[in-house]
Amino acid sequence: MNQFTFEAKHKTVLGAFMALGAICLALTALGDDSFLTRTWSNFLHNSVFFLGISFVSIFVLTAFTTAYAGWHLMIQRVWEAFSVFLVPALILMIIMVIGVVFDLNHIYHWADDASVAGDTILQGKSSFLNNTWYSLGTILIVSTWAYFAYRYRTLSKEEDEVGTEEYLQYKKIKKISAIFLPIAGFTSAAMIWQWVMSVDAHWYSTLYAWYATVSLFVAAMALTIMLLIWLKSKGYYENVTSEHFHDLGKYLFAFSVFWTYMWFSQYMLIWYANNGEETTYFLTRMHEYPVLYWGNLILNFILPFLILMRNDTKRKFGTLFFVSFIVFFGHWFDYFQMIKPGVAHTAHEIHEMHHAGGDDHDAATLSMGDDHASEAHATEHGEDDHGTAAGHGDEHAVEGHGDSGHGHSSFQMGMTIPGLLEIGTMLGFLAFFLFVVLTRLSKVKLVPENHPFVHESEHHHT
């Protein structure tokens, strides 16, 4: 069968999970603090994660096209459908933009005018970390990505309908792919810095965009494998063989290792330099969020490495589905640990500032204990070995931790570790993503026709 039918029962199941996600988000808001910190951070987390998977899919397609790859043609339409989610993802991020610009949340420290006014570091970054850049960057850049995804898919469908041996549509696809790749490379880094890295506004890493994008790539490969296995169980994709899954499994394995390389490179350079303003990021997670810190490495390196090391496991559908499920959840978990500690710290500091100014906020739910003692750890380690922790980094390394310079954040479900509401919200976003993907998948033939490399993919062998 070369035409997917999106059955009513599948729509009902996905609709139920979308409703579950909406209910979980509403319940989170009802029990949240006055800043809705947990609710907005859950929304940001899932919006960026699934937008990223969509972006990576069109990036992969254009990269493969530019490289004259042919093995993936049997599964190309899945990634085309993934890329269509950029449009609803843009709407989700516009909601996030509204929340930031109109001060409906306190996710980002740099978005609070009072904090910026009294913080030389935030003032120094204000030319990039500001509402205008965040708003225009999000809308214009994601719209650009969506346009290229739309053009790629339109030309691919046109090739099915009117393609000839002149391969005019394929040549046009090659041109837009070559144009898109450098645009995607630069703009994706900028948006990762804006959306995710800036939740830790005093910290930065030049490897961060690479690390975050590789995480999205691995998640996209894992979701691709799981969806293809499900589609094959329904009688679709008969020509997608264990050879294709073997290549997908190799990508899953190789980039899990590459993700670990990026993680270690970032950690090792920061550990070796031992600057307080840099070490605070890892020390926070290591000492105050150990489940996130060590769980991240177990889910995203140790388990996939041990399971996929054997060559034959990349050809076994059961094993592939199992490890893909682990890795997909693992990289969602990775984005949780990227976002939540910084958000908790920002909410705590802004609450303290507003509380001191007499604002009426819910102190009981906002107080995170002595949040982010890692900055104090950074001072300890930085001063022991270097005298001072990189100048102005010291100011923030000791801020808000009393005389001891050392504290421990209290446990808070949904911020310290994902809770059931976070899992339910993620399932809702995943159902929304799959609903869009399967709807688009049902509109075209599952395998492209009239493409110059389609027979290469059909007879692919490794």
Side-chain angles (χ1 to χ4, degrees), residues 66 93-94 137 145 187 204 237 239 242 293 339 342 416 425 431 451:
T66 307
M93 289 308 299
I94 288 174
W145 297 346
T187 57
Y204 65 93
Y237 280 116
N239 291 327
S242 59
Y293 184 81
I339 291 171
T416 308
T425 301
H451 192 286

Side-chain angles (χ1 to χ4, degrees), residues 370 376 380 401-407:
D370 289 326
E380 290 178 13
H401 299 292
D403 296 332
S404 66
H406 192 293

Side-chain angles (χ1 to χ4, degrees), residues 94-146:
I94 288 174
I95 295 173
M96 195 67 216
V97 166
I98 292 170
V100 172
V101 171
F102 292 97
D103 202 29
L104 302 179
N105 60 54
H106 291 287
I107 298 295
Y108 299 105
H109 212 164
W110 53 262
D112 184 73
D113 293 336
S115 296
V116 175
D119 192 315
T120 55
I121 296 178
L122 295 183
Q123 290 171 16
K125 296 183 178 184
S126 62
S127 59
F128 178 65
L129 298 181
N130 58 69
N131 288 341
T132 302
W133 224 115
Y134 189 91
S135 305
L136 292 180
T138 296
I139 294 170
L140 295 179
I141 289 175
V142 179
S143 296
T144 301
W145 297 346

Side-chain angles (χ1 to χ4, degrees), residues 67-111:
Y68 292 91
W71 71 271
H72 68 287
L73 262 294
M74 287 291 114
I75 60 176
Q76 174 173 303
R77 288 285 155 79
V78 171
W79 288 334
E80 287 180 13
F82 279 12
S83 70
V84 172
F85 189 75
L86 280 169
V87 175
L90 173 60
I91 297 172
L92 294 174
M93 289 308 299
I94 288 174
I95 295 173
M96 195 67 216
V97 166
I98 292 170
V100 172
V101 171
F102 292 97
D103 202 29
L104 302 179
N105 60 54
H106 291 287
I107 298 295
Y108 299 105
H109 212 164
W110 53 262

Side-chain angles (χ1 to χ4, degrees), residues 23 70 125 173 182 204 234 279 281 317 338 349 388 392 394 414:
I23 292 169
K125 296 183 178 184
I173 289 174
Y204 65 93
K234 300 298 180 183
T279 57
Y281 184 85
F317 290 177
M338 288 188 215
E349 285 209 346
T388 60
H392 55 240
D394 272 355

